[in-house]
Amino acid sequence: MNSEEFKNAIKKSSYIFAGSEEHKHMHGAAQRARKITAKMNGAYQNPKKLRKLFSKLIGKEVDEGFGIFPPFSADYGLNITVGKNVFINSGCCFQDQGGIEIGDNALIGQQVVIATLNHDLIPQKRANMTAAPVKIGNGVWVGAHATILAGVTVGDGAVIAAGAVVTKDVEAYTVVAGIPARKIKDVPRK
């Protein structure tokens, strides 16, 4: 199974059985991702080299405006898409098997976690997983230590406050905070 077959399979059925071809593929891809992120994280890399390594990790070219401060980790790597002028700060962890899309001009704060998998709640089936994408709109600012969970869409211009745990969709141009995150105000337009 290759990455395109995997992505198509989880679009048809987001449920991943432990030991399945999809599950085995995820483990193989994780090793690939660890090798690339070890190069990103193991020694100083200039911004150009980091863009090149991140592009290799996600399997597509990022623009000149992309920036990242290591360390960074990804469980899969090949299901991340970033827009133009995206910045990812240090210590972020992306569990991207379900897909992570980040829009133009987004800022991702330190130690942000984006998780796209959930394990089955039934103990006997706990090794099985459900994948769901996370979509982050244009101009979004995700504060330090925030966590965004599987299936969440964050609208354009929204702000996720530091430390928030986002469990449901966030409206465009709103600020959410807390655990679970809830709207606390609107984002000023000017």
Side-chain angles (χ1 to χ4, degrees):
M1 173 171 278
N2 64 37
S3 63
E4 290 308 311
E5 291 169 333
F6 172 78
K7 289 185 248 184
N8 287 332
I10 64 168
K11 282 180 186 174
K12 289 179 186 170
S13 172
S14 63
Y15 197 77
I16 302 165
F17 289 91
S20 66
E21 287 304 309
E22 293 82 6
H23 192 240
K24 290 175 187 173
H25 172 76
M26 286 171 26
H27 282 276
Q31 298 309 308
R32 175 194 168 277
R34 288 180 57 221
K35 286 178 187 175
I36 297 168
T37 56
K39 289 179 185 173
M40 291 173 68
N41 301 332
Y44 172 78
Q45 305 288 350
N46 66 42
K48 184 177 180 180
K49 180 67 173 180
L50 286 170
R51 281 192 299 274
K52 184 177 178 182
L53 287 166
F54 193 84
S55 293
K56 182 176 180 182
L57 175 69
I58 69 171
K60 45 194 159 284
E61 204 69 32
V62 295
D63 79 302
E64 294 277 326
F66 175 82
I68 188 167
F69 285 176
F72 174 81
S73 68
D75 286 2
Y76 187 72
L78 293 167
N79 211 357
I80 300 170
T81 302
V82 296
K84 295 180 185 201
N85 301 312
V86 168
F87 176 70
I88 299 171
N89 214 325
S90 62
C92 291
C93 300
F94 287 10
Q95 181 195 55
D96 63 294
Q97 292 90 335
I100 296 172
E101 294 178 25
I102 301 173
D104 296 343
N105 305 305
L107 303 173
I108 310 298
Q110 292 178 323
Q111 298 182 344
V112 166
V113 173
I114 301 176
T116 66
L117 292 177
N118 281 312
H119 286 275
D120 198 308
L121 288 176
I122 300 169
Q124 298 81 1
K125 298 180 180 182
R126 188 72 40 91
N128 299 340
M129 294 165 273
T130 303
V134 169
K135 296 179 182 180
I136 297 173
N138 296 323
V140 169
W141 172 22
V142 181
H145 299 275
T147 299
I148 302 173
L149 299 180
V152 167
T153 296
V154 179
D156 291 347
V159 176
I160 310 299
V165 177
V166 184
T167 61
K168 60 184 180 180
D169 291 353
V170 176
E171 292 178 40
Y173 300 99
T174 61
V175 178
V176 298
I179 302 172
R182 62 178 177 72
K183 180 181 173 181
I184 59 170
K185 62 182 172 180
D186 291 316
V187 171
R189 298 291 180 116
K190 291 186 181 191

